[in-house]
Amino acid sequence: MSGHVRLTLFALLATLLTAWSLTPLVESPGWLVQAALLLGVQSLVGAGARRVPLARPLTVAAQFLVSLLLLALLFAGKAENPSGGVLGYLLTDFGSLFGQGVRDVGEFAIPAPTTDGIRLLLLAGVLLIGLMVDLLAVTARSAAAAGLPLLALYSVAAGLSAGRGGAWLSFLLAGCGYLMLLLSESRDRLAQWGRVFGGAAPGPVGGGSGGQAVAPVRTGRRIGAVALGLALVAPVALPAMGGGLLGTGGDGAGSGPGGGTISAVNPLVSLQSSLNAQDNRVVLRYRTDSPQLSEQYLRILALDEFDGVKWEASGRPLTDVPPRLPNPQGLSNQEVRRTASEVRTTVSAAETYAQRYLPMPYPATQVDIGGKWRFEPVGRTLVGDQLGKDGFQNVQGAQYTVHSLLLQPTAEQLQHAPPTDPLVLNEYTKLPDNLPAVVGDTARRVTQGAKDNYTRAVMLQDFFAVSGGFRYDTRVSSGTGSQAIARFLQDKEGFCIHFSFSMAAMARSLGIPARVAVGFTPGTKQSDGSVNVTMRDAHAWPELYFEGVGWTRFEPTPRSGISLPDYGRTDTPTAQPSAPASLPSQNASEPATAPSQSDACPPDLKRLGECGTPAAGQDAGSGSGGVPALAVLGWTAGALLLMALPVLPLLWRRRLRARRLASGDVLLAWQELGDAAWDVNIPPDGALSPRRAAGRTVAQGRLEDGAARAVHRVADAVERALYAPPGTGFRHEGLAEDVLLARAGLLAAVSRGTRLRALLLPRSAARVGWAVSARWSAFTSAVSARLAAVRLPLRGRGGGA
């Protein structure tokens, strides 16, 4: 095996071993097999281009184009809205699939499902790194520099998969791949120096060196093994050196003497990504004995601080989870407590849902769950505790049971709520100084004439959901600051984040304590009685505080399938959020239903899929469209043409051989025999006679009796053709058979590598270059002769005839 081929194989192996570090990021490692096949084709194209040889830029360009075409074939028709034509696919659909992959990366927790977009990102990234490694290590002959793209690939994978375990194995594989690449290049360079140096073992008595020299390559292997061992053992032996190459970090949440604090989080970007998710996967399944499924919101946490830039959860002390959670804040009205009922909900979280905050109905009174969890009393939130150095407890794959209160306050009870506790009023009505005046002015205008906070809250809710002309659209930029609220009030387009944040800010401007809750709507009931909660059920809603009842949910978002609580309904039927005036826009992710269906079917039943209408967010275009057959055929033909480039010399030699032997010309047959010997590294020598050339071919080609006699018969025919008297009609019978027999003997006598080289990259293909050069010389000579024959009139330099 030549040095270039060996280096190509080790460059491929180093890339694959480093790519293994990406496997913890996704659920299935099957993409790695596809990456290996694509990398193999890319490396094969590079090896063939270097054997031709092509210039370095052309070699890289050929590898890049073949890789791009293979990806295009692999992902044909996978985009959301496939375009027609090859150019449209490469420029539009391919980019769309990349964008879909980027969105999937932002949506899914690790390990993420292997969607088409994520698989494209993985394969394209590995192919790009493989191309850079091949370019540096093989084409540019600098294996040490090839460690930079390998390090970049490993660093990205290690950073994203921190705390997932198996880091030592990924590091070991990546390090071994890089060391093997370095040793392969060193061995090739050492072989070019000549004889291996080093101390020889003593030979037998009587002289001579019967021992074998100790190669420096063996020493290099030992050094590499020791270095890898130290890199793996040192972090364990020195625990103080945390956070190193193999270490994992936390997320900054401490656990001090006070029991730790809940970190400020901003889940809004992931909420918008969930609403726009292409893969509407189930994240939670639950069963409940609640008589009102429309009230079964699964609340994650409350955002209670607004600094003018974003809403976030304030940092509060955490405590151990008590057997029975304390009474909800503000729930002191005995009539409300008497009419409340306790419901039991059993929840099962998906393995792909890694959320540190526990989704559960509000207000929960008891939680039964395994693992290490902490309780934040004010927001009534359960948050995962730190698990050593490996990260934090999360809800991934958890099964838990929650007991919660189903509160049913009436509009009259809320309307006659006593004055708010001054501490609550002071904390939850704070607004930033940079809040635009339009927010408070709009709130006062909308609630003009209201005599109590409850009436003001309902008027604000109806303004957003019914009368204000707002439209639900998840594609709107998810700004959360003061200017974003003002822009939302002007443009009147947004989704639950904008509606909930704006209503909470406007309620605070009116002196009503408010915060924003983030979680999931009740989900979709199944035939077996269970309920599925999907990515697109992610939601945000405002919670307003009323003394005696506590924190109370309102629904300003005009989203199909969301129900209003009984206390939030007005007497007029237009107070439904799903009214036609506030249906989502055409580009919203939630498809609008017809007005007649909306009137005929209550929002609760519509959300449960019991109205005979398609579920919200259903992909009506699934399975439609696709790339035209002609485009696929065009891509296939292009890919086959590029992959056929390495076999073009083989096809040319076969065609030329058939034409020469079919002519019956002795001299053409002799030339074919000379080219066959040339292909197995017996170059032609024009100074030799046919007889001596035949003897040289037999000797250097190590031909057996039959093949040797065939060579001599062809040489004898050449001599007779050259030196026979004029007019002698001599014809050699079996000329073609002799040439083919001699060629078979030449191929059988060489190694497999030389035989493949003779078939795929024959040395006699240099005749093509000679022919092109000769024709070019003839052309330039003819043009020069024509120009020289043209005599142009010369102007005289001086006077006189």
Side-chain angles (χ1 to χ4, degrees), residues 221-307:
R221 295 194 191 104
R222 294 172 180 171
I223 295 175
V226 172
L228 278 175
L230 289 176
L232 290 171
V233 174
V236 180
L238 302 174
M241 297 174 59
L245 185 62
L246 300 179
T248 57
D251 63 357
S255 56
T261 59
I262 184 170
S263 301
V265 297
N266 187 3
L268 307 178
V269 175
S270 60
L271 193 151
Q272 183 177 21
S273 300
S274 299
L275 293 174
N276 289 320
Q278 301 301 320
D279 179 16
N280 190 26
R281 60 192 173 98
V282 175
V283 292
L284 298 169
R285 288 186 175 91
Y286 69 87
R287 292 179 179 271
T288 183
D289 57 5
S290 173
Q292 294 186 6
L293 188 60
S294 61
E295 297 298 320
Q296 196 72 5
Y297 280 57
L298 298 179
R299 184 174 173 275
I300 297 176
L301 77 164
L303 311 178
D304 52 10
E305 282 192 356
F306 183 39
D307 59 4

Side-chain angles (χ1 to χ4, degrees), residues 343-362:
V343 298
R344 181 177 184 270
T345 305
T346 303
V347 187
S348 176
E351 292 290 343
T352 56
Y353 182 58
Q355 168 63 254
R356 190 182 167 198
Y357 300 87
L358 190 69
M360 53 186 182
Y362 181 87

